[in-house]
Amino acid sequence: MSATNLILVRHGQSQWNLENRFTGWWDVDLTEKGEAEAKAAGELLAAKGMLPDVAFTSFQTRAIRTLHFALHAANRLWIPETKDWRLNERHYGGLTGLDKQETRDKHGDEQVHIWRRSFDTPPPAMEKGSTFDLSADPRYAGIDVPMAESLKDTIIRVLPYYEAEIEPVLASGKTVIVSAHGNSLRALVKHLSGISDDDITGLEIPTGQPIVYPFEGGKPSGERYYLSDA
């Protein structure tokens, strides 16, 4: 079986990244800088000859548009593409939309750090019917939209999807690109690199920087690198 690659890309800068607000499942678009980051990721894919055959992304505009900018820049916009909510960002519950610094001022640095960086402690649940409740959003019809998620909760939905839908494509010898989010990608990196529960919470995944996992015989080789370093 031929060697292939899994390419992970966190979406480019979003408007709420710029405004330092908790975003989660709320659908926020890219900034001009985010668009440029996504385009640069695609140009890098082309320059390094790291060309994907199949694409996966979330239901969220910032990840979808990052994928499209990158694929357009790499002249691969035509490849098959699957969108799935299970690749969405972690749901930040009642913190959604709040300014991160104001939240620290109100609840204290330690509490906000626990909500953001603990493995299995979710933030406060979102109230049903509140401004950022997506239960009635048509893209989530028939889906039990969470009201808050820890990183552990995010892994519980991301990993089975990866194993059922993405792994078989890699095993068939195709190179796959996944355009997703900081925490849904943390879930994949934790699994593929065997990172502990404690250590994964401190792993930063930069926006618009392709991460490559080489696969041999349908299995990850154990290596992980930034394409910009190749």
Side-chain angles (χ1 to χ4, degrees):
M1 191 179 290
S2 62
T4 184
N5 296 283
L6 172 61
I7 306 160
L8 306 179
V9 182
R10 183 184 174 193
H11 64 80
Q13 183 193 64
S14 75
Q15 188 59 39
W16 280 14
N17 290 148
L18 178 64
E19 295 174 15
N20 201 34
R21 297 167 77 181
F22 290 101
T23 312
W25 277 39
W26 194 247
D27 204 31
V28 178
D29 208 345
L30 299 174
T31 60
E32 285 187 15
K33 179 183 176 182
E35 293 176 358
E37 287 175 334
K39 183 182 176 186
E43 290 169 347
L44 184 62
L45 294 175
K48 299 288 189 180
M50 184 66 66
L51 299 175
D53 303 304
V54 179
F56 292 86
T57 189
S58 71
F59 272 4
Q60 299 184 270
T61 297
R62 57 194 186 272
I64 296 166
R65 294 191 70 224
T66 293
L67 177 65
H68 292 171
F69 273 109
L71 292 180
H72 185 263
N75 195 28
R76 304 294 277 187
L77 202 50
W78 50 270
I79 66 173
E81 172 187 326
T82 301
K83 302 180 184 77
D84 198 282
W85 70 272
R86 284 166 291 189
L87 293 174
N88 276 19
E89 178 57 291
R90 169 189 169 195
H91 196 301
Y92 272 104
L95 301 182
T96 303
L98 298 180
D99 176 276
K100 291 177 183 176
Q101 186 55 53
E102 288 177 2
T103 308
R104 282 193 287 268
D105 293 344
K106 181 177 178 181
H107 295 284
D109 287 347
E110 185 176 351
Q111 180 60 67
V112 174
H113 183 77
I114 290 169
W115 286 333
R116 291 190 69 194
R117 287 294 188 241
S118 74
F119 181 69
D120 54 7
T121 303
M126 179 175 286
E127 290 183 22
K128 281 276 189 185
S130 61
T131 303
F132 301 115
D133 180 5
L134 289 165
S135 300
D137 190 303
R139 85 190 81 183
Y140 301 116
I143 294 166
D144 187 15
V145 174
M147 290 293 110
E149 289 179 307
S150 64
L151 177 56
K152 182 180 180 181
D153 296 328
T154 309
I155 291 169
I156 287 169
R157 65 168 157 85
V158 172
L159 205 50
Y161 178 75
Y162 166 79
E163 291 172 339
E165 303 296 333
I166 300 176
E167 220 169 37
V169 179
L170 289 160
S172 75
K174 292 184 169 70
T175 286
V176 172
I177 184 169
V178 177
S179 175
H181 308 265
N183 284 294
S184 49
L185 293 179
R186 269 195 191 96
L188 292 179
V189 169
K190 183 183 193 304
H191 171 68
L192 293 164
S193 293
I195 298 173
S196 72
D197 294 356
D198 288 339
D199 290 343
I200 193 61
T201 57
L203 179 74
E204 288 296 336
I205 297 179
T207 54
Q209 288 289 332
I211 298 169
V212 178
Y213 278 94
F215 273 62
E216 295 280 352
K219 299 292 182 185
S221 68
E223 186 185 1
R224 173 178 101 237
Y225 64 90
Y226 287 107
L227 188 57
S228 57
D229 294 337

